């Protein structure tokens, strides 16, 4: 069994990395230049967080792997991201629905992690939480604007959120590994964040004139490497160059 | 990034002689420009000056936006997280440049909507360089080094251009462009010091991007009829050929430093002139690409149109939401 802290840091890093990669797919294709800018901005923040968490993960593992070795030379089943972040972009409403649900959970998680007994995690969280707070603001604004915009945008936003309800619970799962880490004050108790998440999420969704629809059959498995079909295809693109020239440095 | 003014039409000649314009105003304007004063949005200016500027600034803005596509082509495949972050930051800068430039052009009375429609209809041009494909990762380095390098050559003098908002946008843009050029050079430096495949990739990229980069400075001076007027108006501060020569002189030693061969058998140092002599540019290719026959011209324009069309519902929703909010605050 791998070091629990190594596992945990991969979860934190992979969530950021996979979502950043999805946001990169929007480059040059957003509805306006301003939106392109804001998506790039969020992508950059997330990439930076991924680098910090994965570099630390590599150090804890102690096998000489750095953040690039982890990002580019693991297969899909070795990734520890939640299922929500790997979901395809869909249209702009779907992308913003994903961003909103992820960022809100992430803000609460990072806030809790600023008090982690692991000072390195606490430091990364303190930097990242400021960035993610802005992502929550930006994506909430879009959820509201689209939900309460035109008939078409309302329908699209509803469909966007509907794509993701089944992936929300996984973000708040606390398995044995995290329970253990939480008891020593390293990890945050994700379950304790759920009430605040639901309250703030519902407020935004209602302002968007939409409905919260809890899933009757929530999906999970990302933390154990059980992903959907899309992840390996996305990684094939992301990793192609690094894998084609494994001896090269870039 | 950059565009030179490539889309000159003889029709402008008539505008310059617009009889309706008060000769005293024209004279006063010419005096101010000659004295290197900035012209501001509310100042009087000849119609031809306004039109030329709108065309030049909007071409530059379009180039920034279209230029995101060839680089975005490698963003999802960037081979390290640090390189991915640098590239994403660079592309983000370009979107920002596009935005300041659209704003600068809007101060001349043309809306962003009109400018974007002109781009999508093929009426407005953008830099021909972006109609070439990015085939390997080394192309990202070549774009930074050569394309942004050429941009700097052209834009540094434009920081003193006569139209205030354009000059000020250029000051900000130039700072970021020199960072872009350095990152491109650094990317290639890493490749030429890497494996034989990486070095070959870098050489191949220089081979493909060298000539299109020289074309970025626009047609030769003897085929650039409006240059004299644009220089008098301080819209342009140096001629295409002067800037092209400066670029060659600065770039050849950098290629030597990289250990890469510039694909021009006629390239030699001319002691007497104190400049490099270089071979003839394929002007037939240049004009073909300007006309819209570049290798990826159709793809680039289609990508921009698709993004715009597919985003229409988002922009409409944002407007509708804003209108509802305005109504609500009135009612409240």
């Amino acid at each position: 069994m791998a070091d629990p802290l190594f596992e945990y840091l991969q979860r934190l890093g992979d969530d950021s990395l996979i979502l950043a990669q999805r946001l990169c797919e929007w480059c040059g294709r957003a509805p306006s230049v301003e939106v392109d800018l804001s998506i790039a901005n969020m992508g950059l923040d997330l990439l930076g967080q991924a680098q910090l968490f994965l570099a630390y993960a590599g150090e804890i593992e102690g096998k000489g792997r750095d953040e690039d070795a982890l990002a580019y030379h693991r297969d899909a089943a070795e990734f520890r991201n939640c299922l929500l972040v790997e979901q395809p972009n869909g249209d702009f409403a779907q992308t913003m629905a994903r961003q909103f649900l992820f960022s809100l959970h992430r803000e609460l998680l990072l806030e809790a992690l600023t008090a982690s007994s692991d000072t390195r995690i606490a430091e990364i969280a303190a930097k990242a939480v400021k960035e993610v707070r802005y992502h929550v603001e930006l994506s909430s604004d879009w959820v509201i604007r689209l939900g309460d915009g035109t008939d078409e945008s309302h329908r699209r936003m509803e469909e966007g959120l509907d794509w993701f309800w089944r992936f929300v619970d996984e973000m708040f799962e606390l398995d044995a590994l995290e329970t253990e880490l939480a008891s020593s004050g390293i990890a945050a108790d994700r379950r304790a964040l759920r009430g605040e998440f639901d309250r703030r999420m519902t407020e935004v969704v209602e302002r968007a004139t939409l409905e919260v629809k809890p899933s009757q059959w929530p999906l999970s498995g990302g933390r154990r490497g059980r992903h959907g079909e899309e992840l390996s295809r996305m990684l094939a693109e992301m990793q192609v160059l690094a894998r084609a020239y494994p001896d090269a440095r870039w | 990034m950059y565009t030179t003014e490539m889309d000159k039409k003889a029709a402008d000649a008539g505008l310059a002689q617009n009889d309706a314009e008060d000769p005293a105003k024209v004279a006063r304007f010419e005096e101010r420009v000659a004295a290197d004063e900035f012209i501001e949005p509310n100042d009087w200016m000849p119609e031809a000056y306004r039109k030329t500027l709108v065309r030049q600034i909007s071409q530059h803005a379009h180039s920034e936006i279209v230029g995101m596509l060839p680089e975005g082509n490698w963003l999802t495949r960037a081979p390290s997280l640090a390189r991915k972050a640098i590239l994403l930051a660079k592309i983000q800068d370009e979107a920002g440049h596009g935005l300041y430039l659209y704003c600068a052009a809007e101060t001349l009375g043309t809306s962003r909507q009109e400018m974007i429609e002109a781009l999508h209809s093929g009426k407005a041009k953008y830099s021909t360089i972006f109609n070439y494909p990015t085939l390997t990762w080394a192309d990202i380095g070549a774009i930074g080094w050569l394309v942004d390098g050429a941009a700097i050559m052209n834009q540094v003098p434009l920081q003193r251009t006569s139209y205030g908002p354009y000059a000020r946008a250029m000051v900000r843009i130039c700072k970021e462009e020199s960072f872009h050029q350095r990152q491109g050079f650094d990317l290639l430096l890493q490749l030429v010091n890497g494996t034989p495949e990486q070095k070959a990739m870098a050489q191949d990229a220089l081979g493909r991007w060298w000539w299109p980069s020289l074309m970025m400075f626009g047609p030769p001076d003897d085929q650039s009829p409006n240059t004299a007027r644009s220089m008098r108006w301080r819209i342009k501060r140096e001629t295409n050929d002067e800037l092209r020569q400066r670029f060659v002189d600065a770039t050849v030693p950098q290629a030597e430093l990289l250990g890469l061969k510039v694909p021009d058998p006629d390239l030699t140092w001319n002691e007497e002139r104190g400049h490099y002599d270089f071979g003839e540019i394929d002007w037939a290719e240049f004009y073909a690409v300007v006309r819209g026959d570049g290798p990826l011209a159709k793809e680039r324009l289609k990508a921009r149109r698709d993004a715009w069309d597919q985003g229409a519902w988002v922009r409409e929703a944002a407007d509708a939401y804003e209108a509802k909010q305005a109504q609500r605050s009135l009612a409240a």
Side-chain angles (χ1 to χ4, degrees), chain B residues 147-169:
Chain B
V147 177
D148 292 310
I152 293 167
M153 288 293 159
N154 190 58
Q155 289 169 356
V156 164
L158 288 177
Q159 295 177 96
R160 297 176 294 119
T161 192
S162 60
Y163 189 57
Y166 191 26
R168 288 188 288 273

Side-chain angles (χ1 to χ4, degrees), chain B residues 211 215 279-287:
Chain B
W211 290 108
M215 293 178 197
E280 182 67 15
I281 289 170
D282 183 347
W283 292 112
E285 176 175 326
F286 169 80
Y287 286 111

Side-chain angles (χ1 to χ4, degrees), chain B:
Chain B
M1 292 209 194
Y2 151 85
T3 179
T4 187
E5 207 205 342
M6 293 165 288
D7 190 29
K8 297 190 175 90
K9 294 274 156 53
D12 286 349
L15 271 168
Q17 299 301 321
N18 192 338
D19 292 338
E21 282 175 353
D22 178 351
K25 282 184 179 166
V26 175
R28 173 76 194 116
F29 169 84
E30 298 267 1
E31 254 171 53
R32 289 186 60 197
V33 169
D36 270 338
E37 276 182 45
F38 282 128
I39 303 300
E40 296 300 334
N42 294 326
D43 295 346
W44 186 88
M45 62 187 83
E47 258 327 284
Y49 175 85
R50 184 186 299 275
K51 282 213 160 186
T52 308
L53 269 174
V54 167
R55 189 174 55 213
Q56 186 172 328
I57 301 172
S58 68
Q59 278 181 11
H60 189 164
H62 297 327
S63 300
E64 299 282 356
I65 301 303
V66 177
M68 294 166 73
L69 298 169
E71 294 187 312
N73 181 39
W74 282 92
L75 181 60
T76 51
R77 292 175 288 171
S80 76
L81 297 181
R83 289 284 175 204
K84 192 192 286 286
I86 292 170
L87 182 58
L88 182 53
K90 178 178 192 289
I91 297 172
Q92 189 189 28
D93 286 347
E94 276 146 17
H97 297 174
L99 213 51
Y100 319 143
L101 288 162
Y102 281 129
C103 292
E106 278 181 320
T107 63
L108 291 157
T110 303
S111 71
R112 199 194 321 177
Q113 179 78 23
E114 287 172 277
M115 290 184 263
I116 287 174
E117 278 165 13
L119 172 70
H120 292 174
S121 71
K123 206 177 127 220
K125 302 292 179 198
Y126 54 88
S127 187
T128 53
I129 195 99
F130 303 119
N131 287 338
Y132 290 89
T134 47
L135 300 178
T136 73
W137 174 248
D139 291 24
I140 299 306
I143 287 183
W145 174 41
L146 298 173
V147 177
D148 292 310
I152 293 167
M153 288 293 159
N154 190 58
Q155 289 169 356
V156 164
L158 288 177
Q159 295 177 96
R160 297 176 294 119
T161 192
S162 60
Y163 189 57
Y166 191 26
R168 288 188 288 273
M170 219 42 83
V171 170
R172 209 165 150 183
I173 289 171
C174 279
K175 280 188 198 142
E176 291 173 349
E177 294 292 5
S178 40
F179 158 74
H180 295 171
Q181 202 227 357
R182 275 202 301 277
Q183 71 79 32
F185 188 81
D186 177 69
L187 191 161
L188 290 173
L189 197 59
Q190 183 85 43
L191 295 184
V192 298
N193 288 314
T195 65
E197 291 94 337
Q198 284 177 300
K199 185 158 187 192
M201 218 182 255
Q203 180 61 59
D204 169 62
L206 174 58
R208 283 180 289 107
W209 290 92
W210 175 255
W211 290 108
S213 299
L214 296 193
M215 293 178 197
M216 282 177 66
F217 295 93
D221 292 348
D222 57 11
Q223 289 172 51
S224 186
N226 294 342
T227 288
R229 192 187 67 189
S230 285
M231 295 208 22
R232 193 176 81 240
W233 280 348
R234 307 285 199 264
I235 291 173
K236 200 168 184 162
R237 309 232 34 165
E238 277 161 286
T239 72
N240 296 350
D241 287 335
E242 283 165 2
L243 290 165
R244 189 166 12 244
Q245 181 70 59
R246 185 176 307 155
F247 175 74
V248 172
D249 291 347
T251 310
V252 171
Q254 293 168 1
E256 283 166 4
L257 206 70
L258 290 169
L260 296 176
K261 195 171 160 26
V262 173
D264 179 357
D266 297 327
L267 186 76
T268 46
W269 175 253
N270 183 325
E271 195 63 55
E272 206 174 306
R273 291 203 308 129
H275 292 293
Y276 282 95
D277 290 337
F278 54 96
E280 182 67 15
I281 289 170
D282 183 347
W283 292 112
E285 176 175 326
F286 169 80
Y287 286 111
V289 178
V290 170
R291 265 200 319 272
D293 287 335
L296 289 186
K298 288 205 187 315
E299 287 83 349
R300 297 286 186 244
L301 212 48
K302 180 178 186 309
R304 283 312 314 158
R305 280 195 205 114
D306 287 352
W308 190 250
D309 293 346
Q310 285 159 19
W313 69 270
V314 176
R315 297 189 304 275
E316 281 159 19
D319 290 345
Y321 178 75
E322 206 176 309
K324 280 187 199 177
Q325 287 300 97
Q327 246 175 3
R328 281 168 194 155
S329 64
L330 271 179

Side-chain angles (χ1 to χ4, degrees), chain A residues 87-88 105 194:
Chain A
Q87 295 306 305
H105 123 277
R194 186 64 191 262

Side-chain angles (χ1 to χ4, degrees), chain A residues 21 27-28 31 33-34 37 41 44 68 72 142 144-145 148-149 152-153 156 237-238 241 248-250, chain B residues 76-81 83-85 91-92 95 99 112 137 190 198 304 313-315 317 321 324 328:
Chain A
Q21 178 71 9
C27 177
V33 184
E34 287 85 346
L37 269 169
N41 192 28
L44 268 174
D68 286 333
Y72 290 96
W142 275 115
I144 294 166
R145 207 177 279 140
D148 192 19
E152 181 181 6
S153 71
R156 285 177 183 259
E237 180 175 345
M238 184 176 99
L241 207 49
R249 293 177 52 81
W250 305 93
Chain B
T76 51
R77 292 175 288 171
S80 76
L81 297 181
R83 289 284 175 204
K84 192 192 286 286
I91 297 172
Q92 189 189 28
L99 213 51
R112 199 194 321 177
W137 174 248
Q190 183 85 43
Q198 284 177 300
R304 283 312 314 158
W313 69 270
V314 176
R315 297 189 304 275
Y321 178 75
K324 280 187 199 177
R328 281 168 194 155

